[in-house]
Amino acid sequence: MGSGSLLWNLTKKYLTVGVIGLTITDRYASVVPVRGGSMSPTFNPRTNTVLGSLDDRVLIEKFCLAKYKFSHGDVVVFRSPSDHKQKLIKRIIGLPGDWMGTPQNDVVKIPEGHCWVEGDNPASSMDSRSFGPIPLGLVQGRATTIVWPPQRICQVERRILQDRFSPSA
């Protein structure tokens, strides 16, 4: 009877830890891998190492989702507008009311509830230049810190790319 009681106590502890961990990653913060070179050199500056590709891992904070408080230059994780199972990470270049130039030489006003995102490496980035402004509801959090690999641990730089956005007057 003693081993059954021990097993039950361990099960309760692990379930409690699991529920608390799930709540934290769902509501407050999580760590996600950054795949590919679309955000290079900010993330994954060197894709070829002796061990192969060593992807960066970033801390994503989710407090910004409460009132959709984002700024130009924030790096965000969002669901792809064309494939909801795919997560992308890009930099916010334009916010509601901004006018953006497209590769087709059109000018688009970003509607309310949307933002314009682009990768730091335009040559290999699938972003708003391809699919247009994205709904803020697809954003899952803001990248704050590179947490892996250890030699790259640092805050994510919030850069504003002057040549790519023009805020509304």
Side-chain angles (χ1 to χ4, degrees), residues 39-117:
M39 285 298 291
S40 183
T42 305
F43 303 119
N44 300 335
R46 282 179 261 118
T47 54
N48 296 325
T49 65
V50 176
L51 303 172
S53 177
L54 189 59
D55 293 335
D56 287 349
R57 303 273 193 272
V58 295
L59 179 67
I60 303 298
E61 66 91 3
K62 300 180 180 185
F63 295 108
C64 59
L65 299 176
K67 294 185 179 177
Y68 295 108
K69 292 193 174 197
F70 300 104
S71 301
H72 292 99
D74 285 347
V75 176
V76 294
V77 172
F78 60 97
R79 295 259 179 213
S80 169
S82 56
D83 178 6
H84 72 279
K85 292 181 182 179
Q86 184 181 19
K87 288 183 183 178
L88 303 173
I89 185 166
K90 306 290 180 209
R91 189 175 304 277
I92 292 180
I93 304 300
L95 292 167
D98 289 352
W99 291 90
M100 301 300 305
T102 68
Q104 298 80 21
N105 293 322
D106 293 332
V107 177
V108 176
K109 184 176 183 181
I110 301 174
E112 284 301 316
H114 290 71
C115 65
W116 188 273
V117 295

Coordinates of all heavy atoms in Angstrom, one line a residue, residues 39-117:
M39 N 15.9 36.0 -40.8 CA 16.1 37.1 -39.8 C 17.6 37.3 -39.6 O 18.0 37.9 -38.6 CB 15.4 36.8 -38.5 CG 13.9 37.0 -38.6 SD 13.5 38.7 -38.9 CE 14.0 39.5 -37.4
S40 N 18.5 36.7 -40.4 CA 19.9 36.9 -40.3 C 20.3 38.3 -40.6 O 19.7 38.9 -41.6 CB 20.6 35.9 -41.2 OG 22.0 36.0 -41.1
P41 N 21.2 39.0 -40.0 CA 22.1 38.5 -38.9 C 21.6 38.6 -37.5 O 22.3 38.2 -36.6 CB 23.3 39.5 -39.1 CG 22.6 40.8 -39.5 CD 21.4 40.4 -40.4
T42 N 20.3 39.1 -37.3 CA 19.8 39.2 -35.9 C 19.8 37.8 -35.3 O 20.2 37.6 -34.2 CB 18.4 39.8 -35.9 OG1 18.5 41.1 -36.6 CG2 17.9 40.0 -34.5
F43 N 19.2 36.8 -36.0 CA 19.1 35.5 -35.6 C 19.8 34.6 -36.6 O 19.8 34.8 -37.8 CB 17.7 35.0 -35.4 CG 16.9 35.8 -34.5 CD1 15.7 36.5 -35.0 CD2 17.2 36.0 -33.2 CE1 15.0 37.3 -34.1 CE2 16.5 36.8 -32.3 CZ 15.3 37.4 -32.8
N44 N 20.5 33.5 -36.1 CA 21.1 32.5 -36.9 C 22.1 33.2 -37.9 O 22.1 33.0 -39.1 CB 20.2 31.7 -37.7 CG 19.2 30.9 -36.9 OD1 19.5 30.6 -35.7 ND2 18.0 30.6 -37.4
P45 N 23.1 33.9 -37.4 CA 24.0 34.6 -38.3 C 24.9 33.7 -39.0 O 25.3 34.0 -40.1 CB 24.9 35.5 -37.3 CG 24.8 34.8 -36.0 CD 23.4 34.2 -36.0
R46 N 25.2 32.5 -38.4 CA 26.0 31.5 -39.1 C 25.2 30.2 -39.2 O 24.9 29.6 -38.2 CB 27.3 31.2 -38.4 CG 28.3 32.3 -38.6 CD 29.6 32.0 -37.8 NE 29.5 32.8 -36.6 CZ 29.5 32.4 -35.3 NH1 29.5 31.1 -35.1 NH2 29.4 33.2 -34.3
T47 N 24.8 29.9 -40.4 CA 24.0 28.7 -40.5 C 24.8 27.4 -40.7 O 24.3 26.3 -40.5 CB 23.0 28.8 -41.7 OG1 23.7 29.1 -42.9 CG2 21.9 29.9 -41.4
N48 N 26.1 27.6 -41.1 CA 26.9 26.4 -41.3 C 28.0 26.3 -40.2 O 28.9 27.2 -40.2 CB 27.6 26.4 -42.7 CG 26.6 26.3 -43.8 OD1 25.6 25.7 -43.7 ND2 26.9 27.1 -44.9
T49 N 27.9 25.3 -39.4 CA 28.9 25.1 -38.4 C 29.4 23.7 -38.6 O 28.9 22.9 -39.4 CB 28.3 25.3 -37.0 OG1 27.4 24.2 -36.7 CG2 27.7 26.6 -36.8
V50 N 30.4 23.3 -37.8 CA 30.9 21.9 -37.8 C 29.8 20.9 -37.5 O 29.8 19.9 -38.1 CB 32.1 21.8 -36.8 CG1 32.6 20.4 -36.8 CG2 33.2 22.8 -37.2
L51 N 29.0 21.3 -36.6 CA 27.9 20.4 -36.2 C 26.6 20.5 -37.1 O 25.6 20.0 -36.8 CB 27.5 20.6 -34.8 CG 28.6 20.4 -33.7 CD1 28.2 20.9 -32.4 CD2 29.1 19.0 -33.7
G52 N 26.7 21.3 -38.1 CA 25.5 21.6 -39.0 C 24.9 22.9 -38.5 O 25.6 23.8 -38.0
S53 N 23.7 23.1 -38.7 CA 23.0 24.3 -38.4 C 22.7 24.4 -36.9 O 22.2 23.4 -36.3 CB 21.7 24.4 -39.2 OG 21.0 25.6 -38.8
L54 N 23.1 25.5 -36.3 CA 22.8 25.7 -34.9 C 21.8 26.8 -34.7 O 22.1 28.0 -34.8 CB 24.1 26.0 -34.1 CG 24.0 26.0 -32.6 CD1 23.6 24.7 -32.1 CD2 25.4 26.4 -32.0
D55 N 20.5 26.5 -34.6 CA 19.4 27.5 -34.5 C 19.5 28.2 -33.2 O 19.7 27.6 -32.2 CB 18.1 26.8 -34.7 CG 17.9 26.2 -36.1 OD1 18.5 26.7 -37.0 OD2 17.1 25.3 -36.2
D56 N 19.2 29.5 -33.3 CA 19.0 30.3 -32.1 C 17.7 29.9 -31.4 O 16.7 29.5 -32.1 CB 19.0 31.8 -32.4 CG 20.3 32.4 -32.8 OD1 21.3 31.7 -32.6 OD2 20.4 33.5 -33.2
R57 N 17.6 30.1 -30.1 CA 16.3 29.9 -29.4 C 16.1 31.3 -28.7 O 17.0 31.9 -28.2 CB 16.5 28.9 -28.3 CG 16.9 27.5 -28.8 CD 15.6 26.7 -29.2 NE 15.9 25.3 -29.5 CZ 16.3 24.8 -30.6 NH1 16.6 25.5 -31.6 NH2 16.4 23.5 -30.7
V58 N 14.9 31.8 -28.8 CA 14.5 33.1 -28.3 C 13.4 33.0 -27.2 O 12.5 32.2 -27.3 CB 14.2 34.1 -29.4 CG1 15.4 34.4 -30.2 CG2 13.0 33.7 -30.2
L59 N 13.5 33.9 -26.3 CA 12.4 34.0 -25.2 C 11.3 34.9 -25.8 O 11.6 36.0 -26.3 CB 13.0 34.6 -24.0 CG 12.0 34.8 -22.8 CD1 11.5 33.5 -22.3 CD2 12.6 35.6 -21.7
I60 N 10.1 34.4 -25.8 CA 9.0 35.2 -26.3 C 8.1 35.6 -25.1 O 7.7 34.8 -24.4 CB 8.1 34.3 -27.3 CG1 9.0 33.8 -28.4 CG2 6.9 35.1 -27.8 CD1 9.6 34.8 -29.3
E61 N 7.9 36.9 -25.0 CA 7.0 37.4 -23.9 C 5.7 37.7 -24.5 O 5.5 38.1 -25.6 CB 7.6 38.6 -23.2 CG 7.7 39.9 -24.0 CD 6.5 40.8 -24.0 OE1 5.5 40.5 -23.2 OE2 6.5 41.8 -24.7
K62 N 4.6 37.4 -23.7 CA 3.3 37.5 -24.2 C 2.4 38.6 -23.5 O 1.2 38.7 -23.8 CB 2.6 36.1 -24.1 CG 3.3 35.0 -24.9 CD 2.7 33.7 -24.8 CE 3.5 32.7 -25.6 NZ 2.9 31.4 -25.6
F63 N 3.0 39.4 -22.7 CA 2.3 40.4 -22.0 C 1.8 41.5 -23.0 O 0.8 42.2 -22.8 CB 3.1 41.1 -20.9 CG 3.5 40.2 -19.8 CD1 4.8 39.7 -19.6 CD2 2.5 39.8 -18.9 CE1 5.1 38.9 -18.6 CE2 2.8 39.0 -17.8 CZ 4.1 38.5 -17.7
C64 N 2.5 41.6 -24.1 CA 2.2 42.6 -25.2 C 0.9 42.3 -25.8 O 0.2 43.1 -26.5 CB 3.3 42.7 -26.2 SG 3.6 41.1 -27.0
L65 N 0.4 41.0 -25.7 CA -0.8 40.6 -26.4 C -2.1 41.1 -25.7 O -3.2 41.2 -26.3 CB -0.9 39.1 -26.4 CG 0.2 38.4 -27.2 CD1 0.1 36.9 -27.1 CD2 0.3 38.8 -28.6
A66 N -2.0 41.5 -24.4 CA -3.2 42.0 -23.7 C -3.9 43.1 -24.4 O -5.1 43.1 -24.5 CB -2.8 42.4 -22.3
K67 N -3.1 44.1 -24.9 CA -3.7 45.3 -25.6 C -3.1 45.5 -26.9 O -3.1 46.6 -27.4 CB -3.6 46.5 -24.7 CG -4.4 46.4 -23.4 CD -4.4 47.7 -22.6 CE -5.3 47.5 -21.4 NZ -5.3 48.6 -20.5
Y68 N -2.4 44.5 -27.4 CA -1.7 44.6 -28.7 C -0.8 45.8 -28.7 O -0.8 46.6 -29.6 CB -2.7 44.6 -29.9 CG -3.4 43.3 -30.0 CD1 -4.8 43.2 -29.7 CD2 -2.8 42.1 -30.4 CE1 -5.5 42.0 -29.8 CE2 -3.5 40.9 -30.5 CZ -4.8 40.9 -30.2 OH -5.5 39.7 -30.3
K69 N 0.1 45.9 -27.7 CA 1.0 47.0 -27.6 C 2.3 46.6 -28.3 O 3.2 45.9 -27.8 CB 1.3 47.4 -26.2 CG 0.1 48.0 -25.5 CD 0.4 48.6 -24.2 CE -0.8 49.3 -23.7 NZ -0.5 50.2 -22.7
F70 N 2.5 47.1 -29.6 CA 3.7 46.8 -30.3 C 4.2 48.1 -30.8 O 3.5 49.1 -31.0 CB 3.3 45.9 -31.5 CG 2.8 44.6 -31.1 CD1 1.4 44.3 -31.3 CD2 3.6 43.6 -30.6 CE1 0.9 43.1 -30.9 CE2 3.1 42.4 -30.2 CZ 1.7 42.1 -30.4
S71 N 5.5 48.1 -31.2 CA 6.2 49.3 -31.7 C 6.9 49.0 -33.0 O 7.2 47.8 -33.2 CB 7.2 49.8 -30.7 OG 6.6 50.2 -29.5
H72 N 7.3 50.0 -33.8 CA 8.1 49.8 -34.9 C 9.4 49.2 -34.4 O 10.0 49.6 -33.5 CB 8.4 51.1 -35.6 CG 7.2 51.7 -36.3 ND1 6.4 52.7 -35.7 CD2 6.6 51.4 -37.5 CE1 5.4 53.0 -36.5 NE2 5.5 52.2 -37.6
G73 N 9.9 48.1 -35.1 CA 11.1 47.5 -34.8 C 11.0 46.3 -33.9 O 12.0 45.6 -33.7
D74 N 9.9 46.1 -33.3 CA 9.7 44.9 -32.4 C 9.8 43.6 -33.3 O 9.3 43.6 -34.4 CB 8.3 44.8 -31.8 CG 8.2 45.8 -30.6 OD1 9.2 46.3 -30.1 OD2 7.1 46.0 -30.1
V75 N 10.4 42.6 -32.8 CA 10.5 41.3 -33.4 C 9.4 40.4 -32.8 O 9.3 40.2 -31.6 CB 11.8 40.6 -33.3 CG1 11.8 39.2 -33.9 CG2 12.9 41.5 -33.9
V76 N 8.5 39.9 -33.7 CA 7.3 39.1 -33.2 C 7.2 37.7 -33.8 O 7.7 37.5 -34.9 CB 6.0 39.9 -33.4 CG1 5.9 41.2 -32.6 CG2 5.8 40.2 -34.9
V77 N 6.6 36.8 -33.1 CA 6.3 35.5 -33.6 C 4.8 35.5 -33.9 O 4.0 36.0 -33.1 CB 6.6 34.4 -32.5 CG1 6.1 33.0 -33.0 CG2 8.1 34.3 -32.2
F78 N 4.5 35.0 -35.1 CA 3.1 35.0 -35.5 C 2.8 33.7 -36.3 O 3.7 33.1 -36.8 CB 2.7 36.2 -36.2 CG 3.5 36.4 -37.5 CD1 3.0 36.0 -38.7 CD2 4.7 37.0 -37.5 CE1 3.7 36.2 -39.9 CE2 5.5 37.2 -38.6 CZ 5.0 36.8 -39.9
R79 N 1.5 33.4 -36.4 CA 1.1 32.3 -37.3 C 1.0 32.8 -38.7 O 0.6 33.9 -39.0 CB -0.3 31.8 -36.9 CG -0.4 31.2 -35.5 CD -0.4 29.7 -35.6 NE -0.4 29.1 -34.3 CZ 0.2 28.0 -34.0 NH1 0.8 27.3 -34.9 NH2 0.1 27.5 -32.8
S80 N 1.5 32.0 -39.6 CA 1.5 32.4 -41.0 C 0.1 32.6 -41.5 O -0.8 31.7 -41.2 CB 2.2 31.3 -41.9 OG 2.0 31.5 -43.2
P81 N -0.2 33.7 -42.2 CA -1.5 33.9 -42.8 C -2.0 32.8 -43.8 O -3.1 32.6 -44.0 CB -1.5 35.2 -43.4 CG -0.2 35.8 -43.1 CD 0.7 34.8 -42.5
S82 N -1.0 32.2 -44.4 CA -1.3 31.2 -45.5 C -1.3 29.7 -44.9 O -1.8 28.9 -45.6 CB -0.3 31.3 -46.6 OG 1.0 31.2 -46.2
D83 N -0.7 29.5 -43.8 CA -0.6 28.1 -43.2 C -0.6 28.3 -41.7 O 0.5 28.5 -41.1 CB 0.6 27.4 -43.7 CG 0.8 26.0 -43.1 OD1 -0.1 25.5 -42.4 OD2 1.8 25.4 -43.3
H84 N -1.8 28.2 -41.0 CA -1.9 28.4 -39.6 C -1.0 27.5 -38.7 O -0.8 27.8 -37.6 CB -3.4 28.4 -39.2 CG -3.9 27.0 -39.2 ND1 -4.4 26.3 -40.3 CD2 -4.1 26.1 -38.2 CE1 -4.8 25.1 -40.0 NE2 -4.6 25.0 -38.7
K85 N -0.5 26.4 -39.3 CA 0.3 25.5 -38.5 C 1.7 26.0 -38.4 O 2.5 25.6 -37.6 CB 0.3 24.1 -39.1 CG -1.1 23.4 -39.0 CD -1.0 22.1 -39.6 CE -2.4 21.4 -39.5 NZ -2.5 20.1 -40.0
Q86 N 2.1 26.9 -39.3 CA 3.5 27.4 -39.3 C 3.6 28.7 -38.5 O 2.8 29.6 -38.7 CB 3.9 27.7 -40.8 CG 5.3 28.1 -41.0 CD 5.6 28.3 -42.5 OE1 4.7 28.5 -43.3 NE2 6.9 28.3 -42.8
K87 N 4.7 28.7 -37.7 CA 5.0 30.0 -37.0 C 6.2 30.7 -37.7 O 7.1 30.0 -38.1 CB 5.4 29.6 -35.5 CG 4.3 29.2 -34.7 CD 4.8 29.0 -33.2 CE 3.7 28.5 -32.4 NZ 4.1 28.2 -31.0
L88 N 6.1 32.0 -37.8 CA 7.1 32.8 -38.4 C 7.6 33.8 -37.4 O 6.9 34.2 -36.5 CB 6.6 33.5 -39.6 CG 6.0 32.6 -40.7 CD1 5.4 33.5 -41.8 CD2 7.1 31.7 -41.3
I89 N 8.8 34.3 -37.6 CA 9.4 35.4 -36.7 C 9.9 36.4 -37.6 O 10.7 36.2 -38.5 CB 10.4 34.8 -35.7 CG1 10.9 35.9 -34.8 CG2 11.6 34.2 -36.5 CD1 11.6 35.4 -33.6
K90 N 9.4 37.7 -37.5 CA 9.8 38.8 -38.3 C 9.8 40.1 -37.5 O 9.2 40.1 -36.4 CB 8.8 39.0 -39.5 CG 8.6 37.8 -40.3 CD 9.8 37.4 -41.2 CE 9.5 36.1 -42.0 NZ 10.6 35.3 -42.3
R91 N 10.2 41.2 -38.1 CA 10.3 42.5 -37.4 C 9.1 43.3 -37.9 O 8.8 43.3 -39.1 CB 11.6 43.2 -37.8 CG 11.9 44.4 -37.0 CD 13.2 45.0 -37.3 NE 14.3 44.1 -37.1 CZ 14.9 43.9 -35.9 NH1 14.4 44.5 -34.8 NH2 15.9 43.0 -35.8
I92 N 8.4 44.0 -37.0 CA 7.3 44.9 -37.3 C 7.9 46.2 -38.0 O 8.7 46.9 -37.4 CB 6.5 45.3 -36.1 CG1 5.7 44.1 -35.6 CG2 5.5 46.4 -36.5 CD1 4.8 44.3 -34.4
I93 N 7.5 46.4 -39.2 CA 8.0 47.6 -39.9 C 6.9 48.7 -40.0 O 7.2 49.9 -40.0 CB 8.4 47.2 -41.4 CG1 9.4 46.1 -41.4 CG2 8.9 48.4 -42.2 CD1 10.7 46.4 -40.7
G94 N 5.6 48.3 -40.0 CA 4.5 49.2 -40.1 C 3.4 48.8 -39.2 O 3.1 47.6 -39.0
L95 N 2.7 49.8 -38.6 CA 1.6 49.6 -37.7 C 0.3 50.3 -38.4 O 0.5 51.0 -39.4 CB 1.9 50.2 -36.4 CG 3.0 49.5 -35.6 CD1 3.5 50.3 -34.4 CD2 2.5 48.1 -35.1
P96 N -0.8 50.1 -37.8 CA -2.1 50.7 -38.4 C -1.9 52.2 -38.7 O -1.4 52.9 -37.9 CB -3.1 50.4 -37.3 CG -2.6 49.2 -36.6 CD -1.1 49.3 -36.6
G97 N -2.3 52.5 -39.9 CA -2.3 53.9 -40.3 C -1.0 54.3 -41.1 O -1.0 55.3 -41.8
D98 N 0.0 53.4 -41.0 CA 1.3 53.7 -41.8 C 1.0 53.3 -43.3 O 0.2 52.5 -43.6 CB 2.4 52.8 -41.3 CG 2.9 53.2 -39.9 OD1 2.5 54.3 -39.4 OD2 3.8 52.5 -39.4
W99 N 1.8 54.0 -44.1 CA 1.7 53.7 -45.6 C 3.0 52.9 -45.9 O 4.1 53.3 -45.6 CB 1.7 55.0 -46.4 CG 0.4 55.7 -46.2 CD1 0.1 56.7 -45.3 CD2 -0.8 55.6 -47.0 NE1 -1.2 57.1 -45.4 CE2 -1.7 56.5 -46.5 CE3 -1.1 54.8 -48.1 CZ2 -3.0 56.6 -47.0 CZ3 -2.4 54.9 -48.6 CH2 -3.3 55.8 -48.1
M100 N 2.8 51.8 -46.6 CA 4.0 51.0 -47.0 C 4.1 50.8 -48.5 O 3.1 50.7 -49.2 CB 3.8 49.6 -46.4 CG 3.7 49.5 -44.8 SD 5.1 50.2 -44.0 CE 6.5 49.3 -44.7
G101 N 5.3 50.8 -49.0 CA 5.6 50.5 -50.4 C 5.7 49.0 -50.6 O 6.3 48.4 -49.7
T102 N 5.2 48.5 -51.6 CA 5.3 47.1 -51.9 C 6.3 46.8 -53.1 O 6.6 47.8 -53.8 CB 3.9 46.5 -52.3 OG1 3.5 47.1 -53.6 CG2 2.8 46.8 -51.3
P103 N 6.7 45.6 -53.3 CA 7.6 45.3 -54.4 C 7.0 45.6 -55.8 O 7.7 45.9 -56.7 CB 7.9 43.8 -54.3 CG 7.6 43.5 -52.8 CD 6.5 44.5 -52.4
Q104 N 5.7 45.7 -55.9 CA 5.0 46.0 -57.1 C 4.9 47.5 -57.3 O 4.1 47.9 -58.2 CB 3.6 45.3 -57.2 CG 3.7 43.8 -57.1 CD 3.9 43.2 -55.7 OE1 3.6 43.9 -54.7 NE2 4.3 42.0 -55.6
N105 N 5.5 48.3 -56.5 CA 5.5 49.7 -56.5 C 4.1 50.3 -56.2 O 3.7 51.4 -56.6 CB 6.0 50.3 -57.9 CG 7.5 50.0 -58.0 OD1 8.2 50.1 -57.1 ND2 7.9 49.7 -59.2
D106 N 3.3 49.5 -55.5 CA 2.0 50.0 -54.9 C 2.3 50.6 -53.6 O 3.3 50.3 -52.9 CB 1.0 48.9 -54.8 CG 0.6 48.3 -56.1 OD1 0.6 49.0 -57.1 OD2 0.3 47.1 -56.2
V107 N 1.4 51.4 -53.1 CA 1.4 51.9 -51.7 C 0.2 51.4 -51.0 O -0.9 51.6 -51.5 CB 1.5 53.5 -51.7 CG1 1.5 54.0 -50.3 CG2 2.7 54.0 -52.5
V108 N 0.4 50.9 -49.9 CA -0.7 50.3 -49.1 C -0.8 50.9 -47.7 O 0.2 51.1 -47.1 CB -0.4 48.7 -48.9 CG1 -1.5 48.1 -48.0 CG2 -0.3 48.0 -50.2
K109 N -2.0 51.3 -47.3 CA -2.2 51.8 -46.0 C -2.6 50.6 -45.1 O -3.5 49.9 -45.4 CB -3.3 52.9 -45.9 CG -3.5 53.5 -44.6 CD -4.5 54.6 -44.5 CE -4.6 55.2 -43.1 NZ -5.6 56.2 -43.1
I110 N -1.8 50.5 -44.0 CA -2.1 49.4 -43.1 C -3.4 49.6 -42.3 O -3.5 50.6 -41.7 CB -0.9 49.2 -42.1 CG1 0.4 48.9 -42.9 CG2 -1.2 48.0 -41.2 CD1 1.6 48.8 -42.1
P111 N -4.3 48.7 -42.4 CA -5.6 48.9 -41.8 C -5.5 48.7 -40.3 O -4.6 48.1 -39.8 CB -6.5 47.8 -42.4 CG -5.6 46.8 -43.0 CD -4.3 47.5 -43.3
E112 N -6.5 49.2 -39.6 CA -6.6 48.9 -38.1 C -6.6 47.5 -37.8 O -7.1 46.7 -38.6 CB -7.9 49.5 -37.5 CG -7.9 51.0 -37.4 CD -6.8 51.5 -36.5 OE1 -6.6 51.0 -35.4 OE2 -6.1 52.5 -36.9
G113 N -5.9 47.1 -36.7 CA -5.8 45.7 -36.3 C -4.8 44.9 -37.1 O -4.9 43.6 -37.0
H114 N -4.0 45.5 -37.9 CA -3.0 44.8 -38.7 C -1.6 45.4 -38.5 O -1.5 46.5 -38.0 CB -3.4 44.9 -40.2 CG -4.5 44.1 -40.6 ND1 -5.8 44.4 -40.2 CD2 -4.7 42.9 -41.3 CE1 -6.7 43.5 -40.6 NE2 -6.0 42.6 -41.3
C115 N -0.6 44.7 -39.0 CA 0.8 45.3 -39.0 C 1.5 44.7 -40.2 O 1.1 43.8 -40.9 CB 1.5 44.9 -37.7 SG 1.9 43.2 -37.5
W116 N 2.6 45.4 -40.6 CA 3.5 45.0 -41.7 C 4.7 44.4 -41.1 O 5.4 45.1 -40.3 CB 3.8 46.2 -42.6 CG 4.4 45.9 -43.8 CD1 5.8 45.8 -44.1 CD2 3.8 45.7 -45.1 NE1 6.0 45.5 -45.4 CE2 4.8 45.5 -46.1 CE3 2.5 45.8 -45.5 CZ2 4.6 45.3 -47.4 CZ3 2.2 45.6 -46.9 CH2 3.3 45.3 -47.8
V117 N 5.1 43.2 -41.5 CA 6.3 42.5 -41.0 C 7.2 42.2 -42.1 O 6.8 41.9 -43.2 CB 5.9 41.3 -40.2 CG1 5.2 41.6 -38.9 CG2 5.2 40.3 -41.0

